[in-house]
Amino acid sequence: MANCQTYLNFTHRTENKTHYMRSIQFREALREAMSEEMRRDNSVFLMGEEVAEYNGAYKVSQGMLDEFGPERVIDTPIAELGFAGIGVGASMNGLRPIIEFMTFNFSLVAIDQVINSAAKMMSMSGGQYSCPIVFRGPTGSAGMLSSQHSQNFENWYANTPGLKVVVPSNPYDAKGLMKSAIRDNDPVIFMESEQMYGDKGEVPEEEYLIPIGVADIKREGTDVTIVSFGKMMKVALAAAEELAKDGINAEVIDLRTVRPIDYKTLIESVKKTNRMVVVEEAWPLASISAELAYHIQSNAFDYMDAPVKRVTCRDVPLPYAPTLIEASLPNVGRTVEAVKQVMYQKA
């Protein structure tokens, strides 16, 4: 643990006892989750490019080679299809691999193993083989990296039966969800943001798990529901603060997982607010936001006072120039405008 961590007292609301919360980075929360699970279960190991000797491309696995050794923290060649396949085979034979992609853009090289092997193994073997494996790494735009390194494939993987897809937005959720993902007997796609690894948040010292498939209301409100996940939660929460200045009380929900989706929490929120805006970094066609709009308008139509609005990336490969990136990605201004449209107010 970093010496500079801040310790704060925190009272657990249900058990009525004091815990200690530390402010740690997103990368540290992931490292703690993986390390704790590797100490608990010798079948867990980490494999990927530069995860060992270099301490991870984003320093998520810093120090893990020293603790667990080269048989459990394994550097690989630049061969995603190969080491993803090794991971799938290992998981079928009783191990619990964590496979790191340096970015999920590179997972396209390994997508056959993820979709045609990992996701389908339980079904095609008639339940004889499970595939407890975690594929993890950064997703989405990381700044001026241009089109090939700036894509969001959450909806691609969420479209595949047999996979679970997790996209945390803060260190607390990242740790609790990573521990649950490692223990899950199904293959889990765990997607992070390269721009969030340095973000700090309060995380308990004590062990905790967050169940996969449960959304979280990050901000309660009465006038409109804003739904997002991952890095775009920053946009959603900032937009809610801006809207509050105009007297609009927005409820903000973090999906946390996009397969399975916690539709119940969304519908209960819409019953209260009667309006919904979905913020998503991916392209608009066949996106998570499109699925949410369909589901809410099909199952909560009688509660809606306006159609669901979506704020997504523009339908173009992400540009390199920062001004064009700003014009392409969802932002606070576009989100505020969408909310005012469903409120029938002028932006």
Side-chain angles (χ1 to χ4, degrees):
M1 305 296 173
N3 292 329
C4 62
Q5 288 169 356
T6 302
Y7 288 81
L8 300 171
N9 283 332
F10 170 74
T11 302
H12 196 288
R13 287 176 292 182
T14 56
E15 297 179 11
N16 195 30
K17 62 183 180 181
T18 301
H19 296 297
Y20 289 98
M21 302 285 280
R22 311 144 298 148
S23 180
I24 64 175
Q25 291 182 338
F26 198 104
R27 60 167 59 89
E28 293 176 294
L30 293 171
R31 185 188 312 141
E32 281 191 1
M34 292 190 294
S35 296
E36 288 174 13
E37 292 305 301
M38 288 174 72
R39 294 181 197 119
R40 190 186 71 89
D41 184 350
N42 289 332
S43 71
V44 180
F45 69 94
L46 173 66
M47 180 166 58
E49 296 159 0
E50 298 184 347
V51 299
E53 296 288 346
Y54 191 65
N55 288 308
Y58 312 104
K59 300 300 178 273
V60 172
S61 55
Q62 189 167 23
M64 291 180 65
L65 174 63
D66 294 337
E67 178 175 356
F68 299 105
E71 291 187 353
R72 297 186 67 196
V73 182
I74 305 167
D75 277 331
T76 67
I78 303 174
E80 286 82 4
L81 178 62
F83 64 76
I86 291 170
V88 171
S91 71
M92 292 170 60
N93 284 277
L95 299 180
R96 291 183 174 270
I98 305 167
I99 304 299
E100 178 179 314
F101 295 124
M102 194 177 292
T103 159
F104 264 95
N105 296 277
F106 302 157
S107 75
L108 299 190
V109 182
I111 203 166
D112 179 64
Q113 285 294 340
V114 177
I115 290 179
N116 278 332
S117 295
K120 295 177 174 61
M121 194 55 62
M122 175 70 79
S123 175
M124 292 185 68
S125 69
Q128 295 179 79
Y129 288 100
S130 60
C131 194
I133 187 171
V134 177
F135 297 99
R136 56 157 293 266
T139 183
S141 169
M144 297 169 62
L145 295 180
S146 196
S147 304
Q148 292 180 332
H149 293 69
S150 305
Q151 300 167 103
N152 292 78
F153 298 121
E154 294 91 341
N155 54 323
W156 287 31
Y157 288 114
N159 186 250
T160 306
L163 297 179
K164 295 177 180 176
V165 184
V166 178
V167 195
S169 68
N170 60 80
Y172 177 87
D173 289 353
K175 182 175 180 180
L177 286 164
M178 174 59 76
K179 290 173 72 72
S180 293
I182 294 169
R183 298 186 192 189
D184 202 289
N185 288 326
D186 292 319
V188 179
I189 308 296
F190 199 97
M191 309 180 91
E192 306 141 17
S193 169
E194 195 173 330
Q195 293 184 330
M196 294 177 67
Y197 284 128
D199 288 1
K200 283 193 171 184
E202 292 184 0
V203 176
E205 282 189 320
E206 290 78 10
E207 181 177 71
Y208 67 97
L209 288 88
I210 296 174
I212 292 173
V214 179
D216 189 34
I217 299 173
K218 299 297 189 188
R219 187 184 194 278
E220 294 190 352
T222 56
D223 297 330
V224 62
T225 300
I226 303 176
V227 181
S228 192
F229 55 91
K231 181 173 73 222
M232 288 297 108
M233 280 300 300
K234 294 182 178 182
V235 172
L237 289 166
E241 291 298 319
E242 284 297 311
L243 290 162
K245 297 175 184 177
D246 293 330
I248 298 173
N249 187 10
E251 180 150 293
V252 182
I253 298 179
D254 185 351
L255 286 179
R256 300 200 290 199
T257 61
V258 297
R259 188 180 182 106
I261 292 173
D262 182 2
Y263 292 114
K264 180 179 178 181
T265 295
L266 304 184
I267 290 173
E268 289 303 312
S269 179
V270 165
K271 286 181 179 180
K272 176 175 60 174
T273 67
N274 311 119
R275 298 169 176 86
M276 178 177 284
V277 170
V278 186
V279 184
E280 181 181 11
E281 190 175 351
W283 297 306
L285 183 64
S287 60
I288 298 297
S289 58
E291 166 62 23
L292 295 184
Y294 166 78
H295 191 94
I296 295 302
Q297 290 173 177
S298 295
N299 294 281
F301 181 80
D302 290 343
Y303 297 94
M304 300 298 292
D305 287 341
V308 175
K309 293 288 290 184
R310 301 188 297 152
V311 182
T312 67
C313 185
R314 305 296 187 187
D315 201 15
V316 295
L318 196 72
Y320 173 78
T323 50
L324 295 179
I325 292 174
E326 172 64 21
S328 296
L329 293 177
N331 56 37
V332 172
R334 289 174 60 195
T335 305
V336 168
E337 180 182 1
V339 167
K340 290 190 175 181
Q341 286 175 357
V342 300
M343 299 286 295
Y344 302 110
Q345 296 183 11
K346 291 184 177 180

